[in-house]
Amino acid sequence: MDEVSLARWQFAITTVYHFFFVPVTISMASLVAGFQTAWVVTEKEKYLKLTKFFGKLFLINFAMGVATGIVQEFQFGMNWSAYSRFVGDIFGAPLALEGLLAFFLESTFLGLWIFGWDRLPKKIHLMTIWLAAIGTIASAYFILAANSFMQNPLGYTFNDGRGRAELTDFWAVLTNPVVLVTMPHQITGCFMVGGAFIAAVAGWHLYRMDRAERKSLDAREPEHGPVFQAAIQGKTTVIPADRPAFKTAVKVGAIVLIIAGLGTVISGDQQSKVMFEVQPMKMAAAEALYETEKPAGFSIVTVGTPDGKRELWSVTVPGLLSFLATGDFDGKVVGINQLQQEYTQQFGPGTYYPYIPLTYWSFRVMIGLGMAAMAIGALLLLCVRGERRLTSFWWPTVLVALPLLPLFANSFGWIFTETGRQPWVVFGLLKTAAGVSPTVGAGSVLTSLLVFTALYGVLAVVEVKLMLKYLRLGLPDVSTREQTDDDSDAPLVFSY
């Protein structure tokens, strides 16, 4: 394997791994702020418990996300120095704003939120978590603006003497049509993950309580007579006190998951139309459409030849690809072969289409996992209505899978986005093979790849252990903690 392939593998591993933490951080900051807002407005203890419980899980994820993000940045200088030099003048502005403005806002007010529980007035303390949440979303925008330049270069001029792109219009970079449609799609995708995470964690606690309750009732009254009815009505001690709080969290998480899922579908439709305008090859690769069609169908599943160039069997929705690309079920979609001829004339000899099986299946896996998560969210809502209980044996498996479905859907979406742009690292300007560091050999790249993979493996073990430890503890006891707004001499308290 040459240095280009190794560098691509390393970038893929570090980026996909880092991105596991990003959707959780972006969504959980706002959702925890929502629980705290509910507590400040209603003064109900269950919202305070949910704020602190999910706030702790959010902070663990945030810390791991920062650690993996730092590791990821190293490879730009190590393996992709030619690419960094080419886009450095463009990326410098949005990434500087991300670091100096968004991340500063996020980390500063998150620190005040962590230490300010018993020191700041309630409403001021609430403001800190909302500002941190705004910082996470602003951070996402600046990073997406930089990435959108790679998909659709705007606001630059090419300096022949220096051999790189140079910034001429920063506003054009920030208002790139790609970032304007990608941002809502990405944010709603993040909230699918956050909603699913909250619903799954709370649902798991509900399942444990309901199973324990059922076993207790079975021991007392095998026929589930008066004792079971008393338990349902809350007249016995077999119903844990935190059940109402977890039930509320399940409903909130499932509703957020479903609404965000609908937003992801709508924004994804808008994103596909912009993608068809600026990167028609990516749209053709998403369907493995080799020849131009009008109208063009969308295959739900296809069995083809090993090279992916010929279809053997498929289930196809007529006209759907035309609608996704043009908004018209009878629209014309240009095929891979015609685009290859066009790009050869424009850019010279070469291969200008991506690895088709990967783009084809990553696009469908993204959609399928997202739809499955929404379906489970709807099922969860139905199963916790009224006095219903989560006692079926298959719930643990479903609840473990629930947050992973939208999380992997997000990852496969980015795999499609980045691999579908190949062979370009900056579309139409710089090929991926030209972006690697010219003096770094395959042995060096392989060494750093193995080190990063091992390091990320250790971090994964730490993350999972911390999450499981604090997830199992359940809701904290908040009865002994009181606000001391009027005590100006009180020290800052680390509340976790």
Side-chain angles (χ1 to χ4, degrees):
M1 192 176 288
D2 61 13
E3 60 270 20
V4 176
S5 299
L6 287 169
R8 291 186 65 187
W9 269 109
Q10 180 173 310
F11 192 89
I13 291 171
T14 55
T15 303
V16 169
Y17 185 83
H18 171 64
F19 197 73
F20 284 157
F21 304 98
V22 173
V24 180
T25 295
I26 291 175
S27 57
M28 287 292 288
S30 296
L31 294 173
V32 169
F35 281 133
Q36 188 169 346
T37 302
W39 170 61
V40 171
V41 172
T42 65
E43 296 188 347
K44 292 182 178 178
E45 187 180 86
K46 68 176 182 179
Y47 291 118
L48 177 58
K49 287 186 173 184
L50 291 173
T51 301
K52 294 204 169 189
F53 176 67
F54 286 109
K56 187 179 297 180
L57 300 179
F58 158 65
L59 291 175
I60 294 170
N61 184 81
F62 177 82
M64 297 300 292
V66 171
T68 55
I70 292 173
V71 173
Q72 185 193 4
E73 291 184 4
F74 288 152
Q75 66 184 312
F76 284 110
M78 292 192 307
N79 300 339
W80 299 96
S81 61
Y83 159 78
S84 299
R85 182 181 179 278
F86 186 85
V87 300
D89 195 64
I90 310 294
F91 277 26
L95 294 187
L97 285 174
E98 192 275 333
L100 297 175
L101 178 64
F103 186 71
F104 182 80
L105 181 74
E106 179 183 354
S107 55
T108 299
F109 285 100
L110 196 56
L112 288 172
W113 184 71
I114 294 170
F115 290 99
W117 270 103
D118 298 316
R119 188 69 175 82
L120 298 173
K122 274 185 180 179
K123 292 182 180 178
I124 298 297
H125 186 251
L126 174 62
M127 183 184 70
T128 62
I129 185 64
W130 275 115
L131 288 173
I134 292 171
T136 63
I137 294 175
S139 178
Y141 189 88
F142 291 126
I143 292 174
L144 288 176
N147 180 269
S148 295
F149 179 82
M150 298 163 62
Q151 316 292 339
N152 180 39
L154 289 176
Y156 77 99
T157 184
F158 183 74
N159 188 320
D160 285 324
R162 296 180 176 179
R164 66 171 191 166
E166 294 183 349
L167 183 66
T168 58
D169 187 349
F170 185 48
W171 183 247
V173 174
L174 291 181
T175 59
N176 190 322
V178 175
V179 71
L180 295 181
V181 294
T182 302
M183 182 66 182
H185 190 59
Q186 181 59 77
I187 294 302
T188 51
C190 291
F191 274 89
M192 286 186 71
V193 179
F197 180 77
I198 287 176
V201 171
W204 181 74
H205 278 284
L206 271 187
Y207 171 80
R208 292 182 66 196
M209 293 174 183
D210 292 347
R211 291 287 291 184
E213 174 190 288
R214 176 56 61 92
K215 289 180 180 177
S216 173
L217 292 173
D218 286 345
R220 296 184 186 185
E221 180 58 60
E223 296 182 356
H224 304 161
V227 175
F228 181 77
Q229 295 304 319
I232 294 298
Q233 297 167 13
K235 296 178 181 178
T236 72
T237 58
V238 295
I239 295 180
D242 290 334
R243 193 178 192 285
F246 280 125
K247 187 173 180 180
T248 298
V250 167
K251 291 181 178 179
V252 169
I255 291 172
V256 168
L257 167 62
I258 295 170
I259 294 176
L262 293 174
T264 305
V265 171
I266 295 171
S267 58
D269 175 65
Q270 297 301 311
Q271 189 181 28
S272 67
K273 291 171 175 55
V274 173
M275 180 178 72
F276 179 66
E277 292 178 6
V278 301
Q279 292 178 289
M281 180 64 86
K282 189 184 291 185
M283 176 58 82
E287 177 54 27
L289 184 72
Y290 281 89
E291 302 297 333
T292 301
E293 293 186 11
K294 181 180 181 303
F298 182 86
S299 55
I300 305 300
V301 61
T302 294
V303 176
T305 55
D307 61 3
K309 293 186 176 181
R310 190 166 60 85
E311 175 185 304
L312 299 177
W313 175 83
S314 70
V315 177
T316 303
V317 179
L320 182 55
L321 184 65
S322 293
F323 180 79
L324 291 173
T326 66
D328 182 356
F329 282 100
D330 196 38
K332 175 183 174 183
V333 181
V334 182
I336 295 170
N337 291 334
Q338 288 70 39
L339 289 168
Q340 168 66 26
Q341 294 175 3
E342 177 185 332
Y343 290 165
T344 300
Q345 293 179 352
Q346 183 177 354
F347 301 114
T351 300
Y352 294 98
Y353 52 85
Y355 182 56
I356 302 302
L358 181 58
T359 53
Y360 179 90
W361 286 111
S362 58
F363 193 66
R364 280 151 186 77
V365 172
M366 171 190 70
I367 296 173
L369 293 180
M371 291 296 180
M374 293 174 65
I376 294 176
L379 176 65
L380 200 51
L381 271 182
L382 287 174
C383 291
V384 299
R385 283 192 310 158
E387 301 301 337
R388 291 177 174 82
R389 295 293 195 265
L390 301 179
T391 54
S392 298
F393 70 92
W394 42 265
W395 271 116
T397 303
V398 171
L399 292 171
V400 168
L402 179 56
L404 299 179
L405 293 174
L407 184 65
F408 290 158
N410 272 262
S411 296
F412 275 103
W414 275 108
I415 289 172
F416 167 74
T417 298
E418 297 304 298
T419 59
R421 190 187 58 242
Q422 300 303 317
W424 303 101
V425 65
V426 180
F427 185 75
L429 295 179
L430 183 70
K431 288 187 175 179
T432 302
V436 296
S437 300
T439 58
V440 179
S444 299
V445 180
L446 179 60
T447 301
S448 58
L449 170 62
L450 295 175
V451 171
F452 282 170
T453 303
L455 178 61
Y456 277 11
V458 173
L459 290 176
V461 173
V462 173
E463 161 82 4
V464 171
K465 283 193 172 183
L466 284 174
M467 278 288 187
L468 291 179
K469 175 183 177 181
Y470 289 103
L471 187 153
R472 286 169 175 156
L473 291 178
L475 300 184
D477 180 10
V478 297
S479 59
T480 57
R481 190 174 293 281
E482 296 180 355
Q483 293 287 312
T484 55
D485 300 352
D486 56 344
D487 187 358
S488 59
D489 295 326
L492 293 175
V493 175
F494 184 69
S495 299
Y496 301 95

